[in-house]
Amino acid sequence: MSDMKVDQILTQIRALREQTGVAKSGMVEADSFAVNAPSNVNFGAMLKESINAVNSTQQASGVLAAAFEAGAKDVSLTEVMVNMQKSEVAFKAVVEVRNKFVDAYQEVMRMSM
């Protein structure tokens, strides 16, 4: 790689760093992001809410597919396919989270006291 290309890449990196607000130390300034995180997070409620969201996505996908099969004029095949893919990806994500929980549980159970 030539010195000219390296210099161009370094110039681009520096420009992006200035645009994003990342200081030279690599740390992001606290004032650059506005985070309104709740101080007390209930993990069980958050997990239940996520599962319910996946369930509603799958149900909406099913309703859309049924409407398309019934011949509804306002539902296109691409809309049905995109919604079905979204619900499939959401379901796969939930399955992966469940697998991670099972792995963590098994790891804890293998620990000796």
Side-chain angles (χ1 to χ4, degrees):
M1 189 179 242
S2 70
D3 289 336
M4 193 163 123
K5 287 185 180 180
V6 171
D7 289 338
Q8 288 175 346
I9 292 172
L10 285 173
T11 304
Q12 289 175 353
I13 290 172
R14 288 181 185 127
L16 287 173
R17 183 185 295 157
E18 289 175 10
Q19 288 175 358
T20 58
V22 177
K24 290 188 178 190
S25 65
M27 300 297 292
V28 177
E29 296 175 12
D31 294 338
S32 63
F33 296 106
V35 178
N36 296 326
S39 61
N40 189 10
V41 177
N42 185 350
F43 181 75
M46 184 178 67
L47 184 63
K48 185 176 181 179
E49 183 179 318
S50 298
I51 292 171
N52 287 338
V54 170
N55 185 35
S56 65
T57 301
Q58 287 183 325
Q59 288 177 349
S61 174
V63 167
L64 208 58
F68 179 76
E69 290 170 359
K73 299 287 184 194
D74 60 337
V75 179
S76 67
L77 178 61
T78 55
E79 186 180 2
V80 172
M81 296 304 294
V82 167
N83 280 326
M84 290 177 76
Q85 287 297 317
K86 284 181 183 179
S87 67
E88 182 180 350
V89 168
F91 182 73
K92 285 181 179 181
V94 167
V95 169
E96 287 301 316
V97 169
R98 183 212 44 148
N99 291 344
K100 292 293 183 183
F101 278 135
V102 170
D103 290 342
Y105 175 77
Q106 289 173 345
E107 187 69 29
V108 167
M109 296 314 303
R110 278 187 237 133
M111 289 182 184
S112 62
M113 292 276 186

